[in-house]
Amino acid sequence: MGYEKLEQAAAAIRDLTGRSEHSAAVVLGSGLGDYAASLPHAIAAPYASIPNFPAPRVEGHSGTLYSIQVANRHALIFAGRVHFYEGWELFDVVFGVRAAALAGCHTVLLTNASGGVSRGLSVGDLVAISDHVNLTGRNPLHGANDDRIGPRFPGVSDAYSSALRREMKPVFEQCGVPYKEGVYTWFTGPSYETPAEIELVRRIGGDLVGMSTVPEAIAMAHMGIRVGAISLVTNMAAGTTEEPLSHGEVQEAAEQAGAKFEALLDSLLPVLVADPR
Ligand code: HPA
């Protein structure tokens, strides 16, 4: 059963890190994979050492869970995530954050790379996700519900905690990062969108497009976990510019913004681990 698998993973996280309690988790998106290794008192656990954990198959996502110290608390950092487009079931896509929740995390910060749709956005912007549109027809809660994880019909109207966004805003500003919010639209990928799809996104009020994050946010709403999400705009979405979109462009922009994103994460970690207000 799914719940037992999650409990085994949560127990392994406690055993492997030697830390019985973690307060918050951060999922690192493209270009951020090396962030955790440099953090104070980081303890690394390869995903392969944690029972039932799916191991990433995509370049640049190494697949290591780090436990770090933040103030007098601990946080988990997921370096490497698995995506639906790799062929994983959504159960596997959300496995890590669910295990983190069972290991005690009250807050999860999801990060990702995205295409910018709305006019106010530029490559390199860091955008706090305020809401999402799920255009995939897929849902990680599909199938029998396990009431130990959460209710059959969870609300998701504050899936990206407005209270946490209010706390994150001044931190962006202290870091010299202009604070922006946007609605993230989930496509499965791995092909990028067509210009017509991006026009659709624009008309329905989407600001960003990407291939991750939404399943994890739904799974966390199901468990009552506070979620924040930050998206790095690595390219303007298809059809917005003359240039055809390439994965190389996305990777390059992710690398260029890496240091800025990492400095922001450093400053956000104490907010994430503190008890929610
Ligand atoms: N579309 C979907 N996913 C992405 C994009 C995009 O333009 N850029 C980075 N991830």
Side-chain angles (χ1 to χ4, degrees), residues 122-148:
S122 316
V123 171
D125 280 353
L126 291 168
V127 183
I129 296 176
S130 56
D131 204 349
H132 71 231
V133 178
N134 178 359
L135 288 180
T136 68
R138 305 285 183 153
N139 194 298
L141 310 184
H142 176 93
N145 188 63
D146 188 328
D147 294 331
R148 290 171 295 182

Side-chain angles (χ1 to χ4, degrees), residues 196-243:
E197 285 164 344
I198 295 304
E199 181 58 25
L200 168 78
V201 169
R202 186 173 291 116
R203 290 188 197 194
I204 61 174
D207 301 300
L208 306 159
V209 276
M211 306 176 193
S212 68
T213 301
V214 168
E216 292 100 318
I218 293 172
M220 292 299 90
H222 187 220
M223 294 180 82
I225 299 298
R226 187 174 73 154
V227 167
I230 301 176
S231 190
L232 167 67
V233 178
T234 51
N235 56 279
M236 293 316 289
T240 340
T241 62
E242 302 288 303
E243 300 299 312

Side-chain angles (χ1 to χ4, degrees), residues 113-116 184 187 191-193 198 209-211 232 234-238 245 250:
S114 66
Y184 179 91
F187 285 83
S191 53
Y192 289 112
E193 300 71 33
I198 295 304
V209 276
M211 306 176 193
L232 167 67
T234 51
N235 56 279
M236 293 316 289
L245 188 51
V250 169

Side-chain angles (χ1 to χ4, degrees), residues 2 4-14 16-17 25-27 44-57 62-66 76-82 88-89 91-103 105 216:
E4 284 71 28
K5 287 187 175 165
L6 290 164
E7 276 191 321
Q8 286 166 3
I13 291 171
R14 293 193 190 95
L16 291 165
T17 62
V26 180
V27 177
Y47 288 176
S49 67
I50 305 169
N52 315 315
F53 234 70
R57 299 166 184 159
S62 60
T64 307
L65 180 65
Y66 294 89
L76 292 169
I77 311 274
F78 291 88
R81 61 146 65 91
V82 298
W88 294 100
E89 297 296 332
F91 176 81
D92 295 309
V93 171
V94 304
F95 189 89
V97 285
R98 277 180 169 162
L102 288 191
C105 296
E216 292 100 318

